[in-house]
Amino acid sequence: MTRVFIGLGSNLADPAAQLASAVQALKQLPGSRWAGLSSLYTSDSILAGQPRYTNAVAALDTELAPLALLDALQAIENAQGRVRTERWGPRTLDLDILLYGDQVIDEPRLHVPHREMQARAFVLYPLAELVPEAFVFSDGRTLRALLQACPFTGLERLAAPR
Ligand code: ROI
């Protein structure tokens, strides 16, 4: 089993409900054991002119290989009505593999650790609820250092984990 962290995001069609149903789907992934969910956070989109996002981070232990996990996550996104039009467009559900154990993965379909996560408050603060601040990323930086470089400003914490 490998501990993985998955970023959840939605800015369409009742985002909190989208995240809740994604959590139900993640709990049923084959070869995997649910390991917990952060609080939910809302924030303005990094891109102007989009609805606000709701984000969270989930932890799973899984036997699925990275690309098999990616396929399973994309199936959940599609089942929840994700339509891929423009890159970075608004979406009913986005599921990103943030970390897959301590592996560094560089494939056309999958980059782990997730490329943008290290500068995104809406990923780092929920992740910090699930791993200690002493956590070291594959490039040697600690979660604590990334949090210090990435202010909480603009994030609103919604709900404690259930
Ligand atoms: N902005 C926020 N706040 N949360 C997201 O999940 C998110 N996802 C995106 C872009 C459009 C970059 N902005 C976001 O893909």
Side-chain angles (χ1 to χ4, degrees):
M1 287 279 195
T2 304
R3 173 62 54 95
V4 302
F5 294 92
I6 296 167
L8 295 79
S10 171
N11 73 340
L12 289 179
D14 192 349
Q18 296 292 339
L19 265 48
S21 80
V23 165
Q24 293 315 309
L26 290 173
K27 286 180 173 174
Q28 287 164 31
L29 277 184
S32 308
R33 191 183 312 123
W34 179 251
L37 183 70
S38 72
S39 306
L40 306 188
Y41 293 78
T42 63
S43 54
D44 285 337
S45 174
I46 301 235
L47 295 184
Q50 285 190 17
R52 265 173 89 79
Y53 274 85
T54 302
N55 291 101
V57 172
L60 284 181
D61 292 317
T62 190
E63 286 171 352
L64 295 175
L67 290 176
L69 177 62
L70 180 64
D71 287 338
L73 298 182
Q74 289 185 345
I76 296 171
E77 290 175 342
N78 293 337
Q80 290 189 215
R82 172 139 180 202
V83 178
R84 291 168 197 274
T85 46
E86 64 207 282
R87 191 162 190 222
W88 310 123
R91 66 282 308 269
T92 50
L93 181 63
D94 190 26
L95 296 174
D96 290 329
I97 303 174
L98 303 172
L99 297 170
Y100 187 98
D102 57 9
Q103 288 192 35
V104 177
I105 302 166
D106 257 309
E107 304 215 19
R109 289 181 65 206
L110 184 61
H111 298 273
V112 175
H114 190 268
R115 278 169 168 169
E116 288 98 17
M117 69 177 287
Q118 300 209 343
R120 289 187 170 176
F122 64 81
V123 176
L124 295 176
Y125 286 90
L127 181 65
E129 296 182 19
L130 303 174
V131 304
E133 290 199 356
F135 180 88
V136 183
F137 287 87
S138 51
D139 66 359
R141 292 193 286 176
T142 60
L143 178 59
R144 184 183 302 111
L146 296 176
L147 288 167
Q148 279 168 1
C150 193
F152 188 83
T153 321
L155 273 191
E156 187 185 341
R157 186 170 157 197
L158 273 193
R162 278 164 297 161

